[in-house]
Amino acid sequence: MGIVGGRRRTVGRMVMAACVGSLLLGAAGCTAPSPSEPAPTSNPPTVAPVFASDEEALAAATEAYSNYLATYDASWAHGPSPMDEYLALSIGEAHEDEVQSLAGWEANGWYATGTTTFDSIRLQGVERRSGVVNISTYLCLDISKGDVVDASGSSVVKTDQPTRLPLEVEFETTPPSPTDLKISRSEIWSGTDFC
């Protein structure tokens, strides 16, 4: 989470890499095999999918994000407190962003109050890379029932701050459990607001 004013609004490096990769794969699929290449004689080994369907992957992402927000809200329930349990639910870019954001909050004496919810989650895609499953989603984060306050209890949120934010959120499986999802990236959607 964090205060949204300082967040990047650009499309992440992973999305750029995926776009370039799909262009390269698309071009490679358009070439005919040369006559000297032998035809494959057997099917390559297949890897069993972690999720049986896109619906199952979306349900897992929905559950993971619900837990992420509930842990965030519970961590602040009695004022500033250690955020280790909350931070354990993110990895990579999302984790680094949260650590940096929380350090800024602590330095300013800020803490969150209220509850945070989301809705309208939609699956963008499911991809398996090097044994890790990546689930990309779009969702609407609702911060209308929460606030960020300073040590005196005064709100530090701008009055014109949107209370519903369109996000692009990515999840990754983490070993040893192939279905243990952690948030790996979360950015405000830079396109048309779908919330």
Side-chain angles (χ1 to χ4, degrees), residues 5-193:
R7 297 294 246 183
R8 290 186 306 269
R9 292 184 177 262
T10 60
V11 177
R13 291 181 300 263
M14 291 180 2
V15 174
M16 181 68 75
C19 291
V20 171
S22 66
L23 288 173
L24 293 174
L25 288 175
C30 293
T31 60
S34 68
S36 62
E37 292 179 20
T41 56
S42 65
N43 291 332
T46 58
V47 177
V50 173
F51 299 103
S53 65
D54 285 351
E55 291 78 17
E56 189 177 299
L58 181 60
T62 301
E63 181 180 340
Y65 204 71
S66 292
N67 184 45
Y68 181 72
L69 293 182
T71 303
Y72 175 84
D73 291 341
S75 296
W76 293 108
H78 304 290
S81 62
M83 300 296 281
D84 297 340
E85 187 177 348
Y86 168 69
L87 290 172
L89 300 175
S90 61
I91 59 174
E93 183 182 321
H95 183 79
E96 292 166 17
D97 288 349
E98 289 300 336
V99 167
Q100 185 177 15
S101 178
L102 290 170
W105 282 37
E106 185 177 331
N108 288 316
W110 297 346
Y111 64 95
T113 63
T115 58
T116 314
T117 61
F118 73 102
D119 57 51
S120 306
I121 188 168
R122 293 186 316 235
L123 186 67
Q124 180 185 18
V126 179
E127 184 178 342
R128 186 180 193 122
R129 296 183 296 241
S130 304
V132 173
V133 175
N134 179 279
I135 300 173
S136 301
T137 63
Y138 300 111
L139 60 86
C140 295
L141 181 67
D142 187 336
I143 57 173
S144 63
K145 294 181 179 140
D147 200 357
V148 179
V149 297
D150 62 19
S152 71
S154 299
S155 179
V156 297
V157 177
K158 297 176 185 174
T159 56
D160 62 345
Q161 170 96 16
T163 58
R164 289 181 53 79
L165 305 167
L167 299 182
E168 184 177 21
V169 180
E170 291 184 5
F171 304 82
E172 284 186 15
T173 57
T174 55
S177 172
T179 57
D180 180 25
L181 293 178
K182 296 198 185 298
I183 285 73
S184 59
R185 190 173 75 85
S186 179
E187 291 187 12
I188 295 175
W189 176 247
S190 60
T192 304
D193 187 345

